[in-house]
Amino acid sequence: MGWIDSFVKFREKRVKEVSPNPEKEMSFLDHLEELRWHLVRSIAAIVVFAIALYINLSWLLSNVLLAPFKGSFITHQLMCRLDPSLCFEKIDVTYIAISPYEQFINSLTMSLIGGFVFAFPYVIWEFWRFIRPGLHDHEQRSMRGSVAVMSLLFFIGVAFAFFVIVPFSVQFLAGYKLSPEIENQWRIGDVIGMITQLLIGTGLVFEMPVLMLYLTKMGVVTPEFLRKYRRHAIVILLFIAAIITPPDWISQILTFFPLYLLYEISIGVSGRTLKRQAAREAREKAEEEAARKKAEAEAAKEAAASPAVPPASTPS
């Protein structure tokens, strides 16, 4: 895959720049091998969590994935307290499987996706371990805590989707009928796919501030650029919200507002990153200037302290 080769070559180049021992440089294949082991450990963590979830799959399906379909779900209970007419016991939907392998395949899908969600912090940590050797000391210090921040944003996105987007989506879609004669019989695979798509998609797009931070460090975006193209960004965010949500405007609007808030936060993150870079460059320049003046002063002092050498006499 081309993007993997480009990523490994970028890491190889950066490691050469920051390595204190150029004679011990790693080859491209060495970097690729190291990436392979990071990926292997990440996949192993996902599989471990997936196995644990598969063992408790019935509980996971009934009490987690399908919980927003029940009137006892916390979001529905809050809406019920605000308006008693919104109270209900269970959303009027029947789940069906129409192929022999559908339930088995979906059990594996649920387990693997759940394994990815729970293993996300470890996966990000492995990714961080791979890129860290290619970073300067000040870059490592500035990115300290990135794993925790990315994990927190991801879980906030997943929680927002689970407690806000999914309940309103399923309630709207189950309540929308072309005719009272039509019953809602949903394929369990479609239900699981919709919910997991919302959870993973929302969790990933909530990483926007971190993405903008890295793009700012790379010189790709600036706060002025983000402000200038705010209107274009709104259209893109609406498009993203439409992709990761079911085809109903309520879910799309509920997803768009936090995305737009994250975009505004990203502008602040980008501006703060540029200020820190400018301050660091000014500090480094001042240190270099002070070191240069100190070297010149020491050289002048040594020249003044050394005895004058008389010029050699020329023979007559």
Side-chain angles (χ1 to χ4, degrees):
M1 299 177 67
W3 69 270
I4 293 181
D5 291 343
S6 301
F7 179 65
V8 174
K9 288 179 180 178
F10 174 77
R11 195 245 194 186
E12 181 183 11
K13 178 182 177 182
R14 290 301 306 268
V15 170
K16 289 180 180 179
E17 293 176 358
V18 303
S19 176
N21 299 315
E23 67 277 1
K24 296 183 179 180
E25 291 179 358
M26 299 170 61
S27 66
F28 174 80
L29 293 179
D30 292 332
H31 288 277
L32 195 60
E33 177 69 10
E34 187 172 344
L35 174 62
R36 184 175 74 89
W37 281 108
H38 285 292
L39 292 176
V40 167
R41 287 190 290 268
S42 299
I43 294 174
I46 294 174
V47 170
V48 169
F49 280 106
I51 292 174
L53 293 174
Y54 186 83
I55 296 173
N56 300 279
L57 196 58
S58 179
W59 180 90
L60 174 67
L61 180 62
S62 177
N63 296 282
V64 179
L65 285 183
L66 298 183
F69 288 80
K70 301 175 182 178
S72 58
F73 191 65
I74 182 172
T75 305
H76 299 314
Q77 287 295 309
L78 291 175
M79 297 300 297
C80 178
R81 292 180 182 180
L82 294 176
D83 186 355
S85 64
L86 299 177
C87 298
F88 62 93
E89 183 177 352
K90 184 180 180 297
I91 291 179
D92 185 19
V93 170
T94 303
Y95 316 113
I96 61 173
I98 61 175
S99 64
Y101 299 102
E102 184 169 359
Q103 296 195 57
F104 175 70
I105 295 299
N106 282 285
S107 65
L108 296 179
T109 301
M110 282 191 297
S111 301
L112 289 174
I113 292 178
F116 173 77
V117 171
F118 283 101
F120 185 81
Y122 181 80
V123 173
I124 293 298
W125 182 67
E126 285 288 351
F127 178 77
W128 162 248
R129 288 181 60 197
F130 178 73
I131 66 173
R132 183 172 57 185
L135 301 176
H136 296 281
D137 290 339
H138 69 270
E139 291 176 325
Q140 293 189 24
R141 289 193 298 269
S142 65
M143 295 176 64
R144 189 175 300 164
S146 295
V147 174
V149 172
M150 293 181 68
S151 301
L152 178 62
L153 289 175
F154 177 77
F155 287 125
I156 290 176
V158 170
F160 178 80
F162 184 69
F163 291 104
V164 179
I165 301 177
V166 173
F168 285 101
S169 296
V170 297
Q171 190 170 5
F172 172 81
L173 294 173
Y176 182 83
K177 293 184 179 181
L178 292 174
S179 169
E181 300 176 356
I182 301 176
E183 296 182 0
N184 277 320
Q185 293 184 342
W186 293 356
R187 287 183 56 182
I188 188 61
D190 294 337
V191 174
I192 294 173
M194 179 189 73
I195 296 175
T196 54
Q197 177 183 340
L198 279 171
L199 298 182
I200 300 297
T202 308
L204 292 178
V205 297
F206 265 56
E207 303 287 350
M208 188 191 307
V210 179
L211 175 63
M212 292 303 175
L213 184 147
Y214 291 149
L215 292 178
T216 302
K217 288 180 177 290
M218 296 168 62
V220 178
V221 300
T222 61
E224 292 75 18
F225 175 87
L226 296 176
R227 293 190 185 97
K228 179 179 179 181
Y229 292 98
R230 182 183 275 112
R231 294 182 180 178
H232 301 77
I234 291 175
V235 176
I236 295 174
L237 293 177
L238 285 170
F239 180 72
I240 294 174
I243 291 177
I244 64 176
T245 58
D248 69 278
W249 63 271
I250 296 179
S251 302
Q252 294 171 8
I253 294 300
L254 288 174
T255 306
F256 167 75
F257 280 116
L259 290 184
Y260 179 73
L261 176 61
L262 289 171
Y263 184 83
E264 294 295 335
I265 293 175
S266 299
I267 296 177
V269 170
S270 179
R272 186 177 180 183
T273 301
L274 284 183
K275 289 181 179 179
R276 287 185 173 181
Q277 287 183 340
R280 188 188 70 251
E281 291 173 359
R283 184 172 61 253
E284 292 176 351
K285 186 176 181 180
E287 291 174 354
E288 291 176 359
E289 184 67 17
R292 185 184 64 81
K293 291 182 177 180
K294 182 178 179 180
E296 291 177 353
E298 291 178 352
K301 185 177 179 181
E302 291 177 359
S306 60
V309 180
S313 60
T314 57
S316 55

